[in-house]
Amino acid sequence: MDRRTFLKGSAALGAAGLAPHLAAPALAQPAKVLRFVPQANLANFDPIWGTQYVVRNAAALVWDMLYGVDAQLKPQRQMVESEEVSADGLTWTFRLRPGLKFHDGEPVLPKDVVASLTRWMARDPMGLMIRAIQAELSPVDDRSFRWQLKKPFPKLLLALGKNNAPCAFIMPERIARTDPFTQITEYVGSGPMKFARSEWVPGARAVFEKFSDYMPRDEPSSWLAGGKRMLLDRVEWVIMPDPATASAALQNGEVDWWENPIPDLVPLLRKNSNINVDIADPLGNIGAFRMNHLHPPFDNPKVRQAVLMGMNQEDYMRALIGDDDKLWKPLPGFFTPGTPLYSEAGGQKIGKGDIAAAKKLLAEAGYKGEPVVCVVAQDQPITKNMGDVTADLLKQMGMKVDFVATDWGTVGTRRASKAPPSQGGWNMFHTWHAGADCINPAVYPAIRANGDKAWFGWPDLPPVEAGITEWFDAADPAAEKAAIDKVNAAAVAGGVYVPTGYFLGYQAWRKNVTGVGKGPLPFTWGVSKA
Amino acid sequence: MLAFLVRRILAVIPVMAVVGLFVFSLLSLAPGDPAALIAGDQASPADIERIRASLGLDRSFLVRFGEWAWRILHGDLGTSIFTNLPVTTMIGQRVQPTVSLMLVTLIFAVLVAVPLGVVAAWKAGRLVDRLVMGAAVLGFSVPVFVVGYLLAYVFALELGWLPAQGYTPIEQGIGPWLANLVLPALTLGLVYIALIARVTRATMLDVLQQDYVRTARAKGVAQGGVLFVHALKNAAVPIVTVIGIGIALLIGGAVVTETVFAIPGLGRLTVDAILRRDYPVIQGVVLLFSFTYVLVNLAIDLLYTLIDPRIRY
């Protein structure tokens, strides 16, 4: 065999072996299978034990809730048919919809609800508040259960229907009896999809199959409320840690829907005539960095104020988003823009980049040149980009910066330390909050300023807490808004944390997929694929 | 020979023990707490402590190490902190993609690199040699992820010939399996080709100066016979050595390649586990990698005796 014959033969052999599979990715997918690239890996699947957004999003397919918030942020009945509350607000009686079934064929009974709520209450901030005033939670009959409280809790339905983790998902009693600090091992719910456990490869894929016995409500679906009609037989989550790979897979038709394309790749996706790109979550996100109120220099309110005045939100947002001005706006407060409690009270001076004023205030505060330990997770681009801006800001203000670039796992541990920064503690870390978690104080731990019980940074600001108490006790929307104005102003004055701006994110999907909506999580009900 | 084999196999035990102790100590010293990651943003310090206790992380280093070592001795790699799945199951799910990738890469690389190295040595100093060595330098210098993205762009996005990502198990057919592996193997193979080709050339250059090669030529043996039968056989020991060393490179390169092509292999499992501080998984994978490497070294030592009968243990 001469060289030329050999090369021809090799090429022909290779082509024969591969030919049937060339361009395979764009072909041959069953019509009702949706391949979805989620924001992160589904590393565990217990929505009470692990509270990551990705777990919550998957759980919303598998486990149903008694109530669900709709696009107007109002809790609507979901598994519940009706509820009654006594005149004194102390006794709530709920009746379940008839015919509710778990994926194992067993009916959903009040005992399942009681066990599920009991487990949820041990882990959820609102649940803990309810647990503290609970007299009794018990089944009444085969479809009803009663919740007796020692004190009225007007936000009870919001607690049961809210979408921030951990949600009040309902599980069979035998599963819900698992210690809330131990992971469940059975994934049986009564939601519109069943979890195909045998196909679960953590870090690679998770599969959900349509639950044929699910009975959607009659109302149109709206976020977690209304009829969750599954038009797909199967949803496959394909985990892709690399954005460029996800982008290529979407363009190639290997996947159908990508939850969170990075801004850099959006122009490329927009050029593809087979792909839709649109805002994913209308509630967006709030960028943030927190200062440690326990240690110098941020134990001094004037130093915190100096940082609030010196920082420029546009710098932060440009670092995160680039030049797409539709994706961000300044945020002179702490609550999600476009929601009923949004407030700018007292926030006029923050985020304007007034370095001169900041320096003056810093001098008045008597800053002694203590190094600021600024902890940044470089494996989270959002926090890394914001951290770089902050380091520059502090230097411009004349502060000494000890910039610690590490990974999110380390930040998660270090930020929980109350030790002085020189002994393994910290002065500052960066994060962001989903807008859906910042719509009111009940779902917003980061706004709390109750000292030791507050979120990392442990602000102790009685005026903020007084406003929050007013909000919980408010009888009508006007009173609620007035209370939140007080909270916002006090949070700015005390520097609970530093909002770096409000930003939105995109999602992208192929045009043969219809029904993709906007919401705080990717709702699969109502989505179809041609 | 048998005594050598037994000695080498027994030597694996202390090596693995040291690796185990090292990995366990390193993870204990590393910052980061899986409980904090599990608990999420809304958790209180008390919640985090309860999770730490439920995972057994609140116990002393020695107790945890003792329990872990005892389990290892019984063939139990433990349970993932995050997924609650046995580490053996998680590794089992990921072995096939990684082994497939390494195997295809290895075969492809050896088939390309050895002839290239031989030809470069044969044509030493001439254009072919310079081209091969230039390409080798390029292959060694261009980062794996750059090659990966470039190949995916050309062959998946522009030409639409091959998938850009994913893995199809071999049970679903050789074709689909191979279709998913072509681009990753090409990506990973370039570095490997460069390494093997350079070593092959250098070794062949030395061998081609030997008297027996001159004798073979004088006796009228054809050029192909001289190069691939007489010379290559005698140059094989260093080449086999570098192929073995290259397997360690493959393991490292697979981490990047698996990420770029979204292949659910051991490399990605390791990175995910490290970022999550999933200690049992990290320990299990590192032990597996170490064990594999020790076995590869043993296999290479044994191969020496087959290739060169003068080598005796």
Side-chain angles (χ1 to χ4, degrees), chain A residues 114-154:
Chain A
V114 168
S116 298
L117 294 180
T118 303
R119 187 166 188 258
W120 164 78
M121 274 189 286
R123 296 296 301 274
D124 181 72
M126 276 187 99
L128 286 166
M129 294 169 79
I130 298 169
R131 193 171 75 167
I133 57 167
Q134 174 182 294
E136 192 182 11
L137 173 62
S138 56
V140 174
D141 55 37
D142 276 358
R143 278 181 52 201
S144 305
F145 65 97
R146 184 175 299 129
W147 214 339
Q148 289 180 302
L149 307 175
K150 296 172 191 162
K151 189 182 155 195
F153 192 80

Side-chain angles (χ1 to χ4, degrees), chain A residues 17-18 21-23 25 35 41 43-44 49-52 123 125 164-165 179 181-185 187 197 200-204 238-242 244-245 248-249 251-252 254 379 407-410 412-413 415-416 431 437 443 445 455-456, chain B residues 31-34 36-43 45-48 50-51 54-55 80-85 90 93-94 149 152 156-157 160-166 174-176 178-179 182 259-262 264 268-269 272 274-277:
Chain A
L18 280 177
H21 314 289
L22 297 182
R35 305 195 80 196
N41 170 26
N44 65 78
W49 180 81
T51 55
Q52 300 93 336
R123 296 296 301 274
N164 75 315
D179 180 287
F181 294 90
T182 302
Q183 198 178 158
I184 61 170
T185 52
Y187 311 107
R197 186 183 179 170
W200 183 32
V201 182
V238 186
I239 317 300
M240 289 195 199
D242 187 88
T245 310
Q251 292 177 74
N252 224 20
E254 293 169 48
D379 55 337
D407 69 315
W408 188 244
T410 303
T413 306
R415 72 182 184 179
T431 187
D437 293 353
V443 297
W455 213 53
F456 312 104
Chain B
D33 182 356
L37 291 170
I38 290 162
D41 271 355
Q42 308 206 1
D47 286 348
I48 294 172
R50 285 191 65 177
I51 293 173
S54 75
L55 297 173
S80 160
I81 287 172
F82 274 80
T83 64
N84 214 19
L85 294 171
M90 293 181 72
Q93 288 174 329
R94 305 301 193 99
Y149 289 139
L157 287 184
W161 288 357
L162 292 160
Q165 55 80 42
I174 296 280
L178 206 53
V182 169
T259 302
V260 169
F261 290 98
R268 265 181 63 193
L269 178 68
D272 289 347
I274 290 169
L275 290 176
R276 286 200 304 263
R277 307 294 190 276

Side-chain angles (χ1 to χ4, degrees), chain A residues 355-369:
Chain A
I355 295 286
K359 279 182 166 175
K360 191 172 164 223
L361 201 55
L362 202 58
E364 283 175 24
Y367 171 62
K368 298 184 188 72

